Amino acid sequence: MEFGVLGPVVAWDAAGQPVGLKGPRHRAVLGRLIVARGRVVPAARLVDDLWLDPPDGALSAVRTFVASLRRALEPERAPRTPARLLVTEGPGYALRTDAVDAWRFEDAVGAALPPGELLSQLAKALALWRGPAYADFAEEGWAQAERSRLTELRLRAVERQAEAQLALGLAGEAVPELDAHVTEHPWREEGWRLLALALYRTGQQGDALAVLRRARSLLVDQLGIDPTTALSRLETDILNQADHLEAVSVWEAATAAYGRVGPRARLESTVGLLRSLAVTGGGGLEEARRHRLAAVTAAEELGDADLTARVIGAYDVPAIWTRSDDDAQAAAIVAAAERALPRQQHPATRARLLATIALESRGSRAPRAAEAAREAEEIARGLDDPGLLAFALNGVFMQSCRRAGLAPQRDAIGAELVALSQRHGLVTYEVLGHLVRLQSLSALNDFRTADDAAAAADALAARHELPLVAVFTGWYRAMRLDTEAAYCEAAALLDGAGMPGLSVGLLPLALACLRLRHAAPVPDVDYGPYEPWVRPLVLLSQERRTEALAALQKAPEPEPGLLLEALWCLTAHAARELGDEQQLERARAALTPAAAELAAGSGLLSLGAVADYL
């Protein structure tokens, strides 16, 4: 299913046919939710956006429109089962899907890829356009900013496409599209620059100079602005036939060199690239995750045990969240590391394999994961390798949520990571240390120091271009503000972050915790992986006590992780409200080691003092 919003806003079924939306206001509701990019739009805001002068019963009408949309978007959904795509959250509604052309288009335009892959991706992205963005809603205030933003992205996509063609030596193919581009959009100086360069590279020096003169004339005479130095410099370089205008691009040179190395060196260099790619943002993280297992599999197929161990252990990307983004891949990586371990005697390589097992076994209760973390740390402390010790400490951290009350130990790990990294220039691990401290200090009710940790992480992220850091510091600040609006704003940071293990169910859980602490009803929405522990409270809010008690008794023990205390507190609250002494005793036993802490060890949401639930 796709939501075609680059042209008129409609929903499309699997066969590519428009879904039957009954009228313009149905389409407007869908369009408004798409513009929100997965964030909650309050029902009252929808009323204001749909009517200049809302009639009586407007709120009921919005609910009717939403119900119709749900039937259109999920025709196979059984009655009274929760919606998956158009969900109710807090005061309004949100669209939960990645199948939106506009979002796919934006991801493609911003992707960091080699020119060949980028060219293919941009061609597919530009083909998504079926007319002006949000054409059905050109006059609506809520759509205008998004219309302008997408239009600008489309122009940038055309220019990035030309850049990729030039990098691949396809200057002749770039000329016609660029010529049309600058004719339609004469203020685009980058378009003029690329057109002149493309003409020069196809041997048309005179035409290239004529294009630059035409650009100057249009910019000065018609728009009243002077050309940038980039255009003036290009004209001078063309007149002088500067060598660099014909220089082979970095990507071309790198690709050519890459093709000359053997498969073993190629695999090891690939893992190095994936490691760097993983910290660049959502698209990079998803790509790294997608190719990582393929690299490990290829190494195993070569039958070289040492190479396999190096390929597995080289992916030492700092990890802060304790739920896996891809359980199947994590299990496959752990299995490969276990296969490589018996054949590997080199201490440093063994430690990397063990640290990998500890990291990829996050959320596991198996003793093996904790054993691997301890052994990796023991080996690393005996070697003079700061990077290896930081990697091993990351594994120890990932296994430090197996029971409640371990925030002081995690804080010690964070402090050591910061100190170690500052001494040896390990920037990404220094950021990890600050984030670990942010989480543990939140549990220890030391928010002044936690604020300093958040500021230090943000400063490093800005200096070293680490965009994913803002997701965690942004959610931390939302927890500090402790309002629904702050959490909804923080949820926007997860858009395109490439961390489903973090994002799925997090906003509903945070809002449920907030409502519980303020004695407000817990909404009936999709809580993703946290459903078993929230469902009893939802049913209690609906005064369905018998069903709530059954749901409570079915709820499993919370998995190890940074939300362990919070989920146990939800269980304790439900058990107390329902008078289930057996479940309450289980929760008390689990929470007692954290009696002096706050249920805020994730650094993302809080349930207040653990003692309140004992």
Side-chain angles (χ1 to χ4, degrees):
M1 178 182 291
E2 295 182 352
F3 298 86
V5 299
L6 295 176
V9 177
V10 292
W12 304 89
D13 63 21
Q17 299 301 314
V19 171
L21 302 183
K22 293 180 179 180
R25 286 204 168 93
H26 290 80
R27 294 194 297 274
V29 171
L30 178 60
R32 182 64 183 84
L33 293 172
I34 291 172
V35 166
R37 295 184 60 84
R39 297 186 291 276
V40 174
V41 181
R45 173 66 60 81
L46 286 172
V47 168
D48 291 339
D49 287 340
L50 291 178
W51 290 277
L52 287 174
D53 184 15
D56 293 339
L59 198 56
S60 295
V62 165
R63 295 191 184 107
T64 301
F65 297 153
V66 168
S68 296
L69 282 173
R70 282 174 172 157
R71 287 193 295 271
L73 299 177
E74 295 184 76
E76 305 302 323
R77 183 167 58 90
R80 292 184 294 280
T81 58
R84 295 181 300 105
L85 296 180
L86 206 173
V87 300
T88 302
E89 288 191 6
Y93 306 99
L95 197 62
R96 295 285 185 250
T97 179
D98 295 325
V100 178
D101 288 349
W103 304 352
R104 291 169 170 170
F105 175 76
E106 184 173 356
D107 289 344
V109 176
L113 296 171
E117 293 180 42
L118 180 62
L119 190 60
S120 173
Q121 187 157 314
L122 287 173
K124 294 175 184 175
L126 287 165
L128 293 172
W129 285 75
R130 293 186 289 274
Y134 292 91
D136 284 0
F137 311 113
E139 304 304 319
E140 300 291 345
W142 54 263
Q144 288 174 1
E146 186 70 358
R147 278 169 53 83
S148 299
R149 192 179 70 85
L150 286 172
T151 300
E152 172 63 25
L153 278 175
R154 184 182 189 179
L155 299 178
R156 179 62 186 133
V158 172
E159 291 162 3
R160 286 207 76 192
Q161 180 176 253
E163 289 170 356
Q165 288 170 324
L166 289 171
L168 293 167
L170 304 174
E173 294 184 17
V175 169
E177 186 72 27
L178 284 169
D179 198 11
H181 179 64
V182 298
T183 299
E184 189 174 354
H185 309 286
W187 64 89
R188 302 289 297 189
E189 292 190 51
E190 180 64 5
W192 290 109
R193 187 190 72 80
L194 289 167
L195 176 58
L197 183 58
L199 287 167
Y200 180 79
R201 288 192 178 177
T202 56
Q204 302 175 72
Q205 181 176 351
D207 289 338
L209 292 169
V211 159
L212 292 172
R213 286 193 294 271
R214 182 154 57 103
R216 184 187 302 108
S217 174
L218 282 167
L219 291 169
V220 173
D221 298 342
Q222 296 186 22
L223 301 177
I225 57 176
D226 291 325
T228 61
T229 55
L231 286 182
S232 301
R233 188 184 306 118
L234 178 59
E235 185 173 19
T236 301
D237 289 343
I238 288 175
L239 286 168
N240 294 329
Q241 297 185 341
D243 291 341
H244 71 82
L245 295 181
E246 295 289 355
V248 176
S249 73
V250 172
W251 276 112
E252 286 181 282
T255 301
Y258 192 72
R260 292 193 293 270
V261 302
R264 287 166 172 77
R266 194 178 302 174
L267 274 173
E268 292 197 67
S269 64
T270 295
V271 176
L273 174 62
L274 296 181
R275 180 177 53 194
S276 300
L277 198 59
V279 298
T280 62
L285 179 58
E286 289 172 340
E287 286 298 304
R289 193 159 56 237
R290 186 163 66 87
H291 293 293
R292 182 189 177 194
L293 184 57
V296 172
T297 302
E300 285 193 300
E301 288 174 351
L302 287 173
D304 186 329
D306 288 340
L307 173 67
T308 301
R310 290 196 302 272
V311 167
I312 294 170
Y315 192 84
D316 53 355
V317 177
I320 185 64
W321 192 239
T322 48
R323 176 177 288 276
S324 175
D325 291 318
D326 187 331
D327 290 332
Q329 184 186 87
I333 295 290
V334 168
E338 293 284 19
R339 286 192 295 271
L341 198 58
R343 293 177 289 174
Q344 184 50 244
Q345 299 304 313
H346 191 282
T349 306
R350 282 188 60 83
R352 287 186 170 276
L353 289 171
L354 290 162
T356 299
I357 291 168
L359 279 165
E360 296 300 334
S361 300
R362 62 188 84 184
S364 170
R365 295 191 183 90
R368 170 58 177 159
E371 292 168 4
R374 286 193 295 269
E375 188 179 349
E377 181 187 10
E378 182 180 347
I379 295 172
R381 290 196 183 281
L383 300 172
D384 187 18
D385 187 338
L388 176 60
L389 178 56
F391 187 27
L393 288 173
N394 197 173
V396 174
F397 162 73
M398 202 56 66
Q399 294 301 319
S400 66
C401 307
R402 303 175 71 81
R403 65 170 179 83
L406 294 176
Q409 287 91 322
R410 288 195 291 277
D411 190 45
I413 293 169
E416 182 173 5
L417 278 169
V418 170
L420 177 71
S421 301
Q422 287 176 343
R423 287 197 305 271
H424 299 284
L426 307 173
V427 173
T428 55
Y429 281 108
E430 184 180 352
V431 170
L432 175 67
H434 287 304
L435 293 179
V436 169
R437 297 211 71 200
L438 175 157
Q439 295 166 338
S440 56
L441 292 164
S442 295
L444 298 172
N445 202 15
D446 184 357
F447 287 107
R448 178 176 296 182
T449 311
D451 288 345
D452 293 340
D458 280 335
L460 286 167
R463 195 179 313 138
H464 299 281
E465 298 183 357
L466 303 171
L468 294 178
V469 173
V471 172
F472 295 95
T473 56
W475 268 88
Y476 167 74
R477 293 185 177 95
M479 181 185 75
R480 297 279 274 131
L481 291 170
D482 199 34
T483 65
E484 287 198 2
Y487 281 122
C488 290
E489 187 174 337
L493 298 170
L494 289 167
D495 290 343
M499 294 185 286
L502 173 66
S503 61
V504 175
L506 182 60
L507 177 60
L509 178 64
L511 295 178
C513 292
L514 179 64
R515 284 173 168 250
L516 184 67
R517 288 172 42 233
H518 290 84
V522 177
D524 188 357
V525 298
D526 181 5
Y527 289 95
Y530 311 113
E531 177 76 17
W533 301 281
V534 187
R535 180 53 47 184
L537 300 171
V538 172
L539 294 167
L540 268 171
S541 295
Q542 298 171 348
E543 299 184 359
R544 296 157 64 183
R545 295 181 65 85
T546 302
E547 294 168 79
L549 182 60
L552 174 64
Q553 292 173 345
K554 283 171 53 180
E557 181 177 328
E559 296 175 350
L562 290 167
L563 288 168
L564 179 72
E565 287 88 349
L567 297 178
W568 270 121
C569 285
L570 294 179
T571 299
H573 180 84
R576 185 168 57 194
E577 292 295 307
L578 291 164
D580 187 330
E581 288 297 330
Q582 184 177 1
Q583 294 296 331
L584 185 57
E585 188 53 43
R586 287 179 64 233
R588 282 175 178 154
L591 286 171
T592 295
E597 297 179 7
L598 301 182
S602 65
L604 307 178
L605 56 85
S606 176
L607 271 167
V610 170
D612 292 345
Y613 300 86
L614 296 177

